[in-house]
Amino acid sequence: MQKDTILFDLINKELERQRNGIELIASENFTSFQVMQAMGTVPTNKYAEGYPGKRYYGGCEVVDEIETLAIERLKKVFNCTWANVQPHSGAQANGAVFLAVMKPGEKFLGLDLSMGGHLTHGSPANFSGKTYHALHYGVTKDGIVDYEQLEHIARAEKPKMIICGASAYSRDWDYKRIRAVADEIGAVVFADIAHPAGLIAAGLLNDPFDHCHIVSSTTHKTLRGPRGGIIMLRNDFENPWGYKDPKGNLRMMSNLLDLAVFPGTQGGPLEHVIAAKAVAFGEILDGSFKDYGKQIITNAQAMAKSFVSRGYNLISNGTDNHLMLIDLRNKNLTGKKAQETLDKAHITLNKNAVPFDDKSPFVTSGIRIGVPAITTRGMQETHMESIVSMIDKILMNADDENTITAVRTEVKSFMQQFPLYPELG
Ligand code: DSN
């Protein structure tokens, strides 16, 4: 077959979009060239249902080595003792945790999606909310997790699992406090660290492994790997629910989680993606990743300060991590309008509900901004002021096509300083 120019032209178009725009979606990043190279390789051809040393197909000796390398590196990244690197995504990882821990109809407690949580933490539109009995805590008027409410609901309802973690929350978590109430009621604490995982790996935020029984993450956000999911345990434990293996032994949590990923929720693992995960974990272990994490936090705090100085209303008034959530109501803008107008100037971010939002999730009163991708491009705190100034110009003149055109030109020229994938010519 001839080269598929239609498709590769589209991929090149996407490369140019990524090169010329300012990427502020908090959940996105740019992998290294090596991570991308590993993804486009021959393990994509291999079926390997099962786990290293215990597969349902022949010819798995090399992918066994690849998957084992990914697992061993990941264990070092988070100082944990067990990991599963097969989940195709963060949602798949969370689905497997639910399957391992919960029976349909049982109660769990997670942060409300409208307060910064995640679909898989009990949204009625998601399997988690449809299959299980979801209970929710929120944030206080100050935008901080309402730990008192969490404790109150936990004691009153005795959920089987408490989830900590969020997709739009700019503060660190008090895992110790959550574990304390979970111990009172015998609940499992599950931390979904998809967003701040890289900052945790760099030792810059509280360590969830000190207090949470189970931890999941994506690999493509602050961890800067390929798209995918992972599940980890620092301390394996016998399941408290009496589930036994065929020999009559109590199953360990690691065993329940392995079974929940395969055959519970997935079939053949994506060994080419697992290869790329191994590369990304190797990059995290190479020593310079901590500097990347520190720069993310420095950039986020510089950006937050600059927004505040221009009268923007940041939820919780700042950030501890890689993102911030801005309530645009005092600027008479919706999140939808802001996202769409900034898109025209090639500044990419997403509209986001803010706590106690009065608008629908399709409109929203806020925007979420993250700095992992621009930090990977090489930006430092001095560049944050320029970005905020461009965003402000657009938002304050959202119906003025001349301003949008001028900023789009400014964005393109600004981004020339930060080359992306020079290897691709
Ligand atoms: N969609 C991701 C995010 O943007 O945060 C979460 O899954």
Side-chain angles (χ1 to χ4, degrees):
M1 187 190 162
Q2 288 192 330
K3 184 171 177 190
D4 187 343
T5 50
I6 298 177
L7 187 276
F8 284 101
D9 284 352
L10 286 172
I11 289 177
N12 283 331
K13 211 167 148 187
E14 172 61 10
L15 173 62
E16 286 311 304
R17 188 195 70 80
Q18 293 187 13
R19 279 180 169 162
N20 294 327
I22 299 179
E23 183 51 72
L24 296 172
I25 293 178
S27 47
E28 293 193 10
N29 210 330
F30 299 107
T31 71
S32 69
F33 189 62
Q34 209 181 191
V35 165
M36 283 203 303
Q37 275 184 314
M39 243 182 309
T41 54
V42 292
T44 193
N45 299 325
K46 189 73 198 96
Y47 248 121
E49 285 177 355
Y51 290 99
K54 210 174 163 202
R55 306 280 192 183
Y56 288 80
Y57 293 85
C60 287
E61 60 277 11
V62 182
V63 292
D64 274 6
E65 284 190 59
I66 291 172
E67 191 167 331
T68 302
L69 184 64
I71 291 169
E72 291 309 316
R73 285 182 178 173
L74 178 58
K75 280 159 56 178
K76 279 197 198 125
V77 166
F78 286 106
N79 184 24
C80 57
T81 57
W82 172 88
N84 187 311
V85 295
Q86 291 192 3
H88 303 332
S89 69
Q92 291 285 110
N94 291 356
V97 173
F98 272 97
L99 190 67
V101 173
M102 312 270 300
K103 289 207 181 90
E106 287 183 335
K107 292 178 187 170
F108 73 96
L109 178 58
L111 179 62
D112 201 312
L113 179 62
S114 69
M115 298 272 178
H118 188 253
L119 277 171
T120 58
H121 301 180
S123 157
N126 183 261
F127 78 90
S128 54
K130 288 180 190 291
T131 315
Y132 308 99
H133 181 156
L135 303 161
H136 286 121
Y137 56 93
V139 297
T140 63
K141 287 268 178 266
D142 296 331
I144 307 293
V145 162
D146 190 339
Y147 291 99
E148 275 181 30
Q149 184 191 30
L150 185 158
E151 287 162 345
H152 176 76
I153 300 174
R155 287 185 186 116
E157 300 279 354
K158 302 203 171 23
K160 192 171 184 186
M161 180 163 83
I162 302 178
I163 308 181
C164 34
S167 57
Y169 184 61
S170 63
R171 295 298 178 179
D172 204 353
W173 285 76
D174 190 344
Y175 302 109
K176 189 175 179 187
R177 185 164 176 182
I178 296 175
R179 175 61 182 263
V181 71
D183 281 348
E184 275 179 41
I185 60 167
V188 166
V189 183
F190 164 34
D192 174 351
I193 60 167
H195 265 268
L199 303 178
I200 292 165
L204 302 168
L205 293 176
N206 292 335
D207 185 351
F209 289 91
D210 285 342
H211 305 287
C212 303
H213 298 94
I214 305 171
V215 178
S216 78
S217 182
T218 53
T219 45
H220 48 274
K221 298 187 177 90
T222 46
L223 286 177
R224 215 159 51 174
R227 304 196 77 78
I230 45 179
I231 310 174
M232 298 157 284
L233 301 173
R234 181 168 289 165
N235 299 303
D236 202 357
F237 57 100
E238 281 181 348
N239 81 84
W241 312 293
Y243 303 144
K244 296 197 170 137
D245 67 17
K247 290 181 185 150
N249 300 315
L250 271 180
R251 287 193 186 277
M252 299 302 284
M253 197 67 223
S254 55
N255 184 230
L256 289 180
L257 289 165
D258 272 343
L259 289 168
V261 174
F262 172 81
T265 51
Q266 293 190 169
L270 311 176
E271 291 294 344
H272 57 304
V273 178
I274 290 173
K277 288 175 180 173
V279 175
F281 302 149
E283 290 172 352
I284 294 169
L285 293 169
D286 92 352
S288 61
F289 194 80
K290 185 162 189 165
D291 295 335
Y292 170 60
K294 281 186 185 160
Q295 193 63 54
I296 285 178
I297 292 177
T298 305
N299 284 352
Q301 291 182 348
M303 184 179 270
K305 201 167 154 203
S306 177
F307 273 116
V308 169
S309 75
R310 288 175 157 83
Y312 286 87
N313 179 9
L314 266 64
I315 304 301
S316 87
N317 215 28
T319 180
D320 296 330
N321 58 26
H322 61 299
L323 68 79
M324 63 213 72
L325 192 56
I326 304 182
D327 185 339
L328 292 170
R329 283 178 284 198
N330 67 339
K331 300 283 184 183
N332 292 321
L333 277 169
T334 63
K336 182 172 188 284
K337 175 80 177 174
Q339 177 191 309
E340 288 173 358
T341 316
L342 287 162
D343 238 354
K344 290 188 199 161
H346 299 166
I347 298 174
T348 315
L349 47 68
N350 64 284
K351 62 177 185 267
N352 213 102
V354 293
F356 313 104
D357 209 327
D358 55 341
K359 303 203 177 58
S360 84
F362 300 103
V363 178
T364 81
S365 296
I367 48 176
R368 185 185 66 165
I369 301 187
V371 301
I374 55 171
T375 306
T376 296
R377 293 285 298 259
M379 288 189 205
Q380 298 189 325
E381 55 273 35
T382 47
H383 301 111
M384 298 303 110
E385 181 59 26
S386 311
I387 292 182
V388 175
S389 154
M390 288 187 259
I391 293 173
D392 188 47
K393 250 186 258 175
I394 295 277
L395 295 185
M396 292 304 99
N397 301 279
D399 293 311
D400 179 6
E401 288 303 323
N402 290 336
T403 304
I404 294 169
T405 307
V407 174
R408 184 163 58 229
T409 307
E410 197 181 341
V411 166
K412 189 167 179 183
S413 115
F414 182 70
M415 292 314 290
Q416 307 295 312
Q417 305 168 70
F418 308 103
L420 180 65
Y421 302 128
E423 300 89 341
L424 292 172

